[in-house]
Amino acid sequence: MGDTGLFGDMNLIGSYYKPDLVLIPIGGHFVMSPGDAAYATREMIKPKFAIPVHYGTTPQLKGTTAEYIGALGQGATKVFPINPGEKLSF
């Protein structure tokens, strides 16, 4: 199925499943960087809401929510940069 490169099947996810909410990894070492995650969010998946995950837990996962939000820019996706233990209701 599709490209197995950096973005894998993100176009498929966006076009076929059309998710309203995504948990998007932004850490940068083992997962996408904030810039790559922003590109995938904005250009491929196009959700209404995004929750950044997999960042800041080890020294290698240096990506930040501020970098992700900055790279994502103003658009249709609302970002919820939550902290451990916080809850969201939709």
Side-chain angles (χ1 to χ4, degrees):
M1 285 225 141
D3 178 10
T4 58
L6 176 63
F7 296 108
D9 289 316
M10 294 218 184
N11 274 324
L12 175 66
I13 293 167
S15 65
Y16 186 78
Y17 295 105
K18 297 175 179 45
D20 287 333
L21 170 68
V22 296
L23 303 176
I24 191 87
I26 66 165
H29 182 70
F30 303 107
V31 298
M32 290 183 285
S33 70
D36 289 339
Y39 178 84
T41 301
R42 182 180 60 253
E43 302 296 328
M44 299 176 163
I45 307 171
K46 302 176 185 174
K48 293 179 185 175
F49 309 104
I51 299 173
V53 297
H54 296 301
Y55 64 94
T57 55
T58 67
Q60 295 91 351
L61 297 175
K62 297 177 183 179
T64 67
T65 56
E67 291 171 318
Y68 172 67
I69 292 168
L72 186 60
Q74 298 284 334
T77 302
K78 181 169 175 57
V79 179
F80 294 97
I82 61 174
N83 293 310
E86 289 183 334
K87 297 179 182 181
L88 292 175
S89 296
F90 291 90

